[in-house]
């Protein structure tokens, strides 16, 4: 029936748009809830105390390192000038970690390589 | 002649929008004595230690315009955002030797002078312009009231302390003249104008 054909196309487009809009939006919400207080909305951090992430080699680098950083947190390091410890975000689900990684890569890398939930799950398992 | 009146009218309308900034009031409980004298609230006497382990008292701040806040270095919530805004003030008013920033820690157990020294060093701020003070916890928490700020020790709060992220402007005579929410850049923009006004008016 013609009505069914258009209905199927409409719902397909609807879910495509909803999925496309949903993934980076949750990443942004996660960033706002968990990261903004320290790394700031524009990713600039507080130089000398909290690293900037808008030009961070960690954001640009392998997703495995970023996944482990989110999962385990980090003590202040000499390699990246910082003062306070980064907390662990192991309470986030693998879906949330994936969305957060993809959001920060989309925001602050020029050629973002997005990751899948399966890749993040494997990375998190390897760094436990 | 017609154009003259149009231009004159336009000039009047435009300049009528340019209002002089109103003087900043003194903030706090203003009392009147039985004899009709007015007593303006002042920051109480204090004596704390700065990041170089030197004593800083209220006497050292008399004669200076100060911008104060209450924070702690381990703060995972609002403090980094407030410090970021404070750095805007530090940079904007770097030509005013009579202006000092004063950050009181509310967690003196962890924020020793050595830790505050490292913190200030990492921020790369001049200790002559920005002091970080520590001392007895009860006194640090008590003085926050004079600075119209809230400080509460709360084990359920992030970092163990609940506090307002206010930036407070104090004049040369230890009167509070303005404050703002230090997490809001637009409020800090407005606060900057208050700071400028006070500096332009001799700090009083």
């Amino acid at each position: 029936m013609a009505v069914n054909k258009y209905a199927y196309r409409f719902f397909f487009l609807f879910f495509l748009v909803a999925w496309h809009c949903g993934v980076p939006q949750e990443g942004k919400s996660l960033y706002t809830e968990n990261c903004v207080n320290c790394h700031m909305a524009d990713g600039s951090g507080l130089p000398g105390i909290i690293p900037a992430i808008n030009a961070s080699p960690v954001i640009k680098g392998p997703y495995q390192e970023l996944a482990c950083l989110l999962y385990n947190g980090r003590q202040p390091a000499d390699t990246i000038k910082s003062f306070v410890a980064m907390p662990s975000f192991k309470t986030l689900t693998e879906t949330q970690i994936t969305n957060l990684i993809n959001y920060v890569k989309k925001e602050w890398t020029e050629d973002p390589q997005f990751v899948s939930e399966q890749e993040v799950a494997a990375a998190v398992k390897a760094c436990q | 002649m017609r154009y003259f009146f149009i231009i004159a009218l336009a000039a009047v309308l435009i300049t009528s929008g340019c209002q002089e900034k109103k003087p900043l009031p003194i903030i706090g409980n203003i009392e009147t004595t039985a004899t009709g004298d007015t007593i303006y609230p002042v920051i109480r006497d204090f004596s704390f230690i700065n990041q170089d382990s030197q004593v800083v008292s209220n006497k050292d701040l008399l004669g200076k315009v100060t911008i104060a806040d209450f924070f702690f270095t381990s703060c995972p919530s609002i403090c980094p955002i407030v410090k970021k805004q404070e750095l805007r003030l530090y940079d904007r008013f770097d030509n005013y030797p009579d202006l000092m920033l004063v950050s009181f820690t509310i967690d003196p157990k962890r924020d020793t002078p050595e830790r505050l020294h490292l913190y200030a060093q990492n921020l790369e701020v001049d200790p002559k312009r920005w002091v970080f003070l520590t001392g007895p916890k009860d006194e640090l928490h008590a003085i926050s009231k004079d600075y119209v700020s809230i400080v509460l020790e709360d084990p359920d709060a992030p970092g163990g302390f609940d506090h307002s992220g206010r930036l407070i402007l104090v004049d040369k005579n230890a009167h509070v003249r303005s404050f703002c929410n230090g997490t809001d850049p637009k409020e800090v923009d407005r606060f900057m104008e208050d700071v400028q006004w006070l500096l332009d008016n001799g700090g009083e």
Side-chain angles (χ1 to χ4, degrees):
Chain A
M1 281 174 65
V3 170
N4 280 343
K5 183 172 70 176
Y6 289 117
Y8 285 136
R9 285 177 188 174
F10 170 79
F11 281 114
F12 172 75
L13 278 172
F14 173 80
F15 284 115
L16 196 64
V17 170
W19 173 81
H20 175 72
C21 293
V23 169
Q25 270 306 104
E26 197 198 3
K28 186 174 180 178
S29 301
L30 287 164
Y31 185 84
T32 303
E33 279 171 33
N34 296 287
C35 315
V36 151
N37 278 349
C38 289
H39 292 292
M40 310 294 154
D42 63 359
S44 58
L46 182 61
I49 306 295
I50 292 162
I53 62 172
N54 56 9
S56 165
V58 176
I59 304 296
K60 292 174 184 175
Y63 69 88
Q64 292 93 334
E65 192 180 330
L66 186 48
C68 282
L69 175 63
L70 287 168
Y71 189 80
N72 290 323
R74 175 185 281 176
Q75 290 301 312
D78 290 331
T79 46
I80 301 172
K81 199 170 180 193
S82 56
F83 193 86
V84 290
M86 173 163 160
S88 151
F89 291 98
K90 57 178 66 164
T91 52
L92 295 179
T93 65
E94 280 155 10
T95 307
Q96 288 174 319
I97 292 179
T98 305
N99 286 342
L100 189 48
I101 289 174
N102 285 335
Y103 171 75
V104 297
K105 281 189 175 289
K106 176 170 158 284
E107 282 298 295
W108 293 303
T109 57
E110 282 180 10
D111 184 24
Q113 304 294 314
F114 297 120
V115 296
S116 68
E117 201 175 331
Q118 292 80 2
E119 286 169 319
V120 166
V124 163
K125 197 171 174 184
C127 61
Q128 284 182 30
Chain B
M1 195 60 174
R2 181 175 53 178
Y3 291 119
F4 170 79
F5 279 117
I6 290 169
I7 290 166
L9 182 63
V12 166
L13 288 172
I14 287 165
T15 54
S16 67
C18 302
Q19 292 171 358
E20 258 192 47
K21 188 166 166 59
K22 287 185 188 159
L24 297 175
I26 291 177
I27 293 170
N29 288 329
I30 298 171
E31 294 173 10
T32 310
T33 65
T35 51
D37 295 323
T38 306
I39 303 177
Y40 294 102
V42 292
I43 304 295
R44 70 187 68 186
D45 291 350
F46 68 81
S47 177
F48 294 123
I49 302 286
N50 74 3
Q51 65 267 37
D52 294 324
S53 302
Q54 301 300 294
V55 172
V56 172
S57 76
N58 55 295
K59 293 191 181 67
D60 297 310
L61 300 184
L62 276 176
K64 288 194 181 291
V65 170
T66 54
I67 297 172
D69 77 301
F70 290 81
F71 88 117
F72 58 114
T73 63
S74 313
C75 172
S77 57
I78 60 174
C79 301
I81 294 179
V82 175
K83 282 284 168 284
K84 196 90 189 244
Q85 294 301 312
E86 274 183 286
L87 279 167
R88 291 180 60 204
L89 293 158
Y90 177 83
D91 290 337
R92 159 88 182 258
F93 297 107
D94 63 348
N95 281 334
Y96 291 89
D98 283 350
L99 176 73
M100 177 161 273
L101 278 74
V102 182
S103 291
F104 296 89
T105 182
I106 59 176
D107 181 16
K109 189 175 175 185
R110 285 183 283 193
D111 289 342
T112 58
E114 294 76 22
R115 186 165 167 89
L116 292 174
H117 179 88
L118 266 173
Y119 189 88
Q121 198 171 60
N122 278 24
L123 272 184
E124 296 182 3
V125 295
D126 181 352
K128 291 191 198 65
R129 293 185 53 216
W130 194 338
V131 292
F132 294 78
L133 301 183
T134 187
K137 186 174 72 175
D138 290 347
E139 289 179 31
L140 288 160
H141 288 204
I143 204 171
S144 69
K145 295 182 189 55
D146 295 354
Y147 284 97
V148 293
S149 292
I150 295 169
V151 171
L152 285 169
E153 191 160 11
D154 179 0
D156 295 327
F161 294 92
D162 202 1
H163 63 111
S164 56
R166 281 185 172 171
L167 296 170
I168 305 101
L169 179 63
V170 181
D171 69 16
K172 287 185 171 180
N173 301 312
H175 301 307
V176 173
R177 304 297 294 274
S178 178
F179 60 87
C180 73
N181 175 357
T183 67
D184 185 338
K186 286 197 170 58
E187 277 211 32
V188 176
D189 289 344
R190 190 264 307 155
F191 182 75
M192 266 191 197
E193 290 175 19
D194 289 350
V195 177
Q196 189 68 64
W197 181 90
L198 190 59
L199 289 167
D200 291 344
N201 282 273
E204 293 181 347

